[in-house]
Amino acid sequence: MSTKKFLLEEKDIPTAWYNIVADMKNKPLPILNPQTKQPLKEEDLYPLFSKGASHQEMNTTDAWIEIPEEVRELYKVWRPTPLVRAYGLEKMLDTPAHIYFKNESVSPIGSHKLNSAIAQAYYCKQEGITNITTETGAGQWGAALSYAAKAFGLELAVYMVKVSYHQKPYRRSIMQTFGAQVIASPSMSTKAGRKILTDHPNYQGSLGTAISEAVELAMQTPNCKYTLGSVLNHVMLHQTVIGLEAEKQMEMAGEYPDVVIGCFGGGSNFSGITFPFLRHKLTEGKDVRVIAAEPASCPKLTRGQFQYDFGDEAGYTPLIPMFTLGHNFAPANIHAGGLRYHGAGSIVSQLMKDGLMSAYDVKQLDTFQAATLFAQAEGIIPAPESSHAIAVAIREALEAKEEGKTRTILFNLSGHGLIDMAAYDQYLAGDLTNYEVTDEEVANNLSELEKIIK
């Protein structure tokens, strides 16, 4: 009988995260102080982030960073996660490809985001911090951090992008169940929010706006730090537990992936699944393709520009070297709220620049078509974000069928869609549309960027 799930034991949970920057020939460009345009030092991050996160953010030399025992203990609540062979999908597509997915949807809050939430909450607690703030798009990160904050006795305020606040009320309920305060962003509670609402009274928000509000609140609240769910290096680091487990599980399956795929917003789940496999490419020259699947309505990797830009809308954050559509880019109100972000993190941007990975943009209707097919074949309803990776995996599997060759495909199922059924309702009723950005819109937005990289 063939094996469907490849399962590790709790003792197999990784003991260290993988820091890909240590193995990169071309390191990411430094993040800059917006006023002086000088590279930031680790201590420059202390007012905003925990010292533990700041240290990891700036670490370019250690390939392995130990996972604290308390963090590993909490990981045991749901880790290791299963690696699953998608036999049902293979059969439905009639493809010779072997399709595997890492099922991160089994976490208590239904996504991969908990891997970093627990780590960041731990470092804040270690430092004696009492309050933390964050932003959330679709609510996955906010839900994860609300659980992690409660685990370490921290008070949490979450700025949730307004369109998702209304589209996904149950994610808001999850955060409130764990004791977090949830504010629809833009709000009147911060200077950044008030300015945006004054200029655009009906603005439905973006991750960039929510970040501005969360950063402002953190800076004005005593004994408070800001935490975030994607983009920065330390978040990518924490997520590598996904790929490190998948490495062992692919060995159990007796295969090695030809292609590894993750959906892409700011980079957390994509980095988590791909970086441990990219390590083999960087250190051993292993032939593995790595693909980021991003929404056609927010195509920073496929159509953005590599430039220094702010991570938020108001310009409170340091300047990050990134593929960006411009920090004031207002993405369409697609249901994959976790991918509605204007820029890519500095590590992924450098890997993209060096041709070590590629990216596809996927239209909204194609993602729901792929999601429905996957649900019918595998019995799991995926999050709209994860469905971007599924759409690309299906494309790869159909290519293998055309060529009549086997191909081993691995993708990250980064979350379930059980709280996204309103989006599925709209899709099934034929009420969803595709949003694509015109070249003119991209060019106009990028024209406002200061060109620091010549």
Side-chain angles (χ1 to χ4, degrees):
M1 201 169 136
S2 53
T3 304
K4 175 73 174 168
K5 293 195 302 295
F6 297 88
L7 303 171
L8 299 169
E9 295 179 42
E10 285 179 4
K11 65 178 173 56
D12 300 316
I13 295 171
T15 55
W17 293 299
Y18 171 56
N19 179 18
I20 194 172
V21 181
D23 288 330
M24 288 169 67
K25 197 174 88 177
N26 298 327
K27 310 285 186 209
L29 295 174
I31 52 178
L32 302 180
N33 179 311
Q35 278 77 45
T36 64
K37 307 293 190 289
Q38 291 303 304
L40 290 182
K41 300 185 187 73
E42 181 184 314
E43 50 271 28
D44 295 331
L45 299 177
Y46 291 169
L48 197 52
F49 299 105
S50 68
K51 287 179 179 166
S54 301
H55 184 62
Q56 291 171 353
E57 185 64 30
M58 295 302 196
N59 190 324
T60 61
T61 52
D62 299 320
W64 300 100
I65 293 173
E66 189 182 345
I67 302 175
E69 196 53 43
E70 268 186 88
V71 173
R72 285 187 83 232
E73 278 300 312
L74 272 169
Y75 277 178
K76 284 181 189 173
V77 172
W78 78 102
R79 303 212 73 84
T81 61
L83 179 78
V84 186
R85 175 81 181 267
Y87 288 114
L89 186 60
E90 291 171 16
K91 188 177 174 187
M92 199 177 260
L93 298 173
D94 187 27
T95 175
H98 293 181
I99 307 172
Y100 294 85
F101 62 93
K102 185 74 165 139
N103 189 357
E104 289 292 300
S105 76
V106 300
S107 87
I109 52 87
S111 86
H112 70 292
K113 291 290 188 181
L114 212 43
N115 298 322
S116 186
I118 283 173
Q120 291 187 56
Y122 166 81
Y123 290 119
C124 287
K125 182 68 175 178
Q126 286 294 98
E127 208 179 306
I129 301 304
T130 54
N131 292 58
I132 52 176
T133 70
T134 198
E135 73 291 326
T136 194
Q140 295 276 30
W141 168 248
L145 195 64
S146 61
Y147 171 86
K150 188 50 69 181
F152 289 104
L154 304 169
E155 292 296 320
L156 169 64
V158 182
Y159 284 93
M160 186 173 186
V161 175
K162 192 174 282 181
V163 64
S164 292
Y165 185 91
H166 297 300
Q167 275 179 351
K168 302 178 195 294
Y170 294 123
R171 285 255 165 73
R172 184 190 346 139
S173 304
I174 290 171
M175 293 180 245
Q176 290 165 337
T177 300
F178 286 122
Q181 180 191 3
V182 189
I183 308 111
S185 171
S187 76
M188 294 301 284
S189 70
T190 65
K191 197 169 79 180
R194 288 192 294 275
K195 181 181 186 314
I196 288 160
L197 284 172
T198 304
D199 296 345
H200 310 283
N202 298 317
Y203 186 45
Q204 290 302 295
S206 71
L207 274 166
T209 305
I211 292 169
S212 295
E213 294 206 89
V215 166
E216 185 179 321
L217 182 65
M219 297 299 275
Q220 291 178 349
T221 306
N223 209 23
C224 184
K225 297 292 179 193
Y226 166 68
T227 58
L228 83 168
S230 198
V231 182
L232 289 188
N233 299 6
H234 64 277
V235 187
M236 310 299 150
L237 174 80
H238 302 151
Q239 293 295 352
T240 57
V241 290
I242 303 170
L244 293 168
E245 286 180 5
E247 270 184 300
K248 294 178 188 172
Q249 290 163 314
M250 289 300 299
E251 274 178 37
M252 289 165 73
E255 301 211 61
Y256 190 88
D258 297 304
V259 57
V260 186
I261 304 159
C263 68
F264 195 87
S268 68
N269 117 74
F270 167 80
S271 304
I273 190 76
T274 62
F275 283 5
F277 291 97
L278 271 173
R279 176 171 75 91
H280 305 154
K281 188 169 187 159
L282 292 169
T283 61
E284 304 156 31
K286 191 101 176 171
D287 186 20
V288 59
R289 286 188 300 123
V290 167
I291 302 173
E294 66 179 5
S297 60
C298 197
K300 57 262 182 180
L301 289 173
T302 49
R303 293 168 64 194
Q305 189 176 89
F306 184 69
Q307 191 52 262
Y308 271 102
D309 197 6
F310 291 104
D312 71 314
E313 190 157 345
Y316 290 159
T317 67
L319 288 165
I320 303 166
M322 54 162 72
F323 275 96
T324 179
L325 294 163
H327 62 274
N328 53 355
F329 177 75
N333 297 334
I334 60 167
H335 278 281
L339 307 186
R340 298 172 68 246
Y341 185 65
H342 66 274
S346 65
I347 299 176
V348 171
S349 294
Q350 189 62 47
L351 292 168
M352 186 78 182
K353 197 163 167 278
D354 290 343
L356 290 161
M357 55 171 281
S358 56
Y360 289 142
D361 60 352
V362 191
K363 297 186 175 98
Q364 176 160 255
L365 292 178
D366 293 345
T367 68
F368 277 94
Q369 184 184 3
T372 308
L373 190 71
F374 180 78
Q376 292 167 3
E378 293 296 328
I380 299 170
I381 296 175
E385 291 83 3
S386 301
S387 305
H388 289 69
I390 296 169
V392 174
I394 289 171
R395 182 192 300 189
E396 288 283 326
L398 292 175
E399 267 182 25
K401 180 181 174 178
E402 270 175 44
E403 293 168 7
K405 291 178 183 169
T406 58
R407 186 180 294 185
T408 303
I409 300 163
L410 169 64
F411 72 88
N412 198 15
L413 180 72
S414 54
H416 66 59
L418 297 179
I419 301 177
D420 299 289
M421 295 318 294
Y424 280 88
D425 278 349
Q426 284 184 270
Y427 171 70
L428 295 167
D431 293 338
L432 281 191
T433 52
N434 285 326
Y435 299 93
E436 284 185 84
V437 190
T438 65
D439 290 340
E440 189 182 6
E441 284 173 300
V442 173
N444 283 347
N445 226 52
L446 288 170
S447 68
E448 296 175 28
L449 260 189
E450 183 186 357
K451 304 296 188 283
I452 296 170
I453 299 170
K454 302 298 182 210

